[in-house]
Amino acid sequence: MKKMAEPQPFSPVKLICGVIANQMDVFNRAEKLLAERWGPIEERSSLFDFTWTDYYERQMGPGLKRYFLSFEPLILPEAISSIKLTTNQLEEQIKKEFGSSHRIVNLDPGYVTTAALIMATMKNFAHRIPLVNGVYAHLEILFSRQGIRVLEWTYPDFRTSTYYDFFLKTRKKLAFQLKGYNPNLP
């Protein structure tokens, strides 16, 4: 009789968060709150114009920008559901702190593995995997030796090479951390 495979723990992953807003003080507050919860910021991407959809503009106003953060500590991938729920609470907290009657920041957590970028979402769709508490995993991109591979359902802004430097750098730092190296040493 064949022995059943023993369950193995998941490998740690690198937490990232996309931040969309149109005010620098909102970006700064969001970053401070995120770092308080998940540790020091390791990398910041450039600040990009967010013009790929008007979905957030209808809620948050014109002139939206997006950037990504990665965090020094690794997380376990199963934590992404609770992280997504917490970022939703942080969006509400920031809205109240700034005295706004409408949403002023969008926080999109996800994680980088050595093979893929997974984003957390509260919106269901055919290709999304249910996790827990209404949170779904959205496989956004795949990493290969040739670079980044987009998928049929990859969001339009993730299809351009605009974000790739950040994602590839984050993946490289994760690989070093998983091997026991400190990527911050010279």
Side-chain angles (χ1 to χ4, degrees):
M1 186 173 231
K2 246 185 175 180
K3 186 178 175 184
M4 226 195 276
E6 293 292 321
Q8 299 297 312
F10 294 122
S11 293
V13 296
K14 182 64 78 175
L15 177 64
I16 68 159
C17 191
V19 183
I20 301 173
N22 59 8
Q23 300 172 48
M24 284 312 297
D25 50 346
V26 172
F27 280 112
N28 293 335
R29 182 61 179 147
E31 187 171 321
K32 183 177 187 305
L33 291 172
L34 292 166
E36 285 174 1
R37 278 157 184 82
W38 294 292
I41 304 298
E42 184 172 60
E43 286 291 329
R44 283 172 196 81
S45 74
S46 298
L47 191 62
F48 306 105
D49 290 330
F50 189 77
T51 58
W52 298 96
T53 176
D54 64 354
Y55 177 80
Y56 295 108
E57 188 173 307
R58 289 179 285 181
Q59 299 173 26
M60 298 164 51
L64 294 174
K65 308 276 187 195
R66 171 183 237 165
Y67 78 115
F68 293 92
L69 303 168
S70 69
F71 300 84
E72 284 182 20
L74 299 180
I75 64 163
L76 292 175
E78 57 264 36
I80 199 64
S81 292
S82 65
I83 291 170
K84 177 61 177 169
L85 296 173
T86 301
T87 58
N88 285 357
Q89 293 169 351
L90 292 177
E91 288 180 14
E92 282 298 311
Q93 178 181 335
I94 292 168
K95 176 177 119 174
K96 288 177 184 171
E97 286 179 9
F98 281 80
S100 180
S101 61
H102 62 280
R103 185 181 195 190
I104 60 171
V105 66
N106 180 68
L107 302 174
D108 283 326
Y111 60 81
V112 171
T113 73
T114 56
L117 168 64
I118 311 293
M119 298 300 289
T121 181
M122 303 296 286
K123 299 174 203 89
N124 189 12
F125 206 68
H127 62 277
R128 295 181 179 156
I129 309 300
L131 299 175
V132 67
N133 296 323
V135 179
Y136 297 84
H138 177 96
L139 175 61
E140 194 67 56
I141 59 175
L142 298 174
F143 297 111
S144 71
R145 290 183 183 179
Q146 292 75 35
I148 289 181
R149 184 173 144 218
V150 298
L151 306 161
E152 180 182 333
W153 51 79
T154 300
Y155 289 129
D157 56 327
F158 286 76
R159 289 179 166 276
T160 69
S161 60
T162 308
Y163 305 156
Y164 292 3
D165 284 344
F166 173 80
F167 296 141
L168 291 169
K169 189 183 290 186
T170 300
R171 176 186 183 227
K172 185 175 183 179
K173 288 193 175 201
L174 169 66
F176 277 122
Q177 280 182 289
L178 291 175
K179 289 180 181 176
Y181 295 106
N182 182 345
N184 296 317
L185 294 177

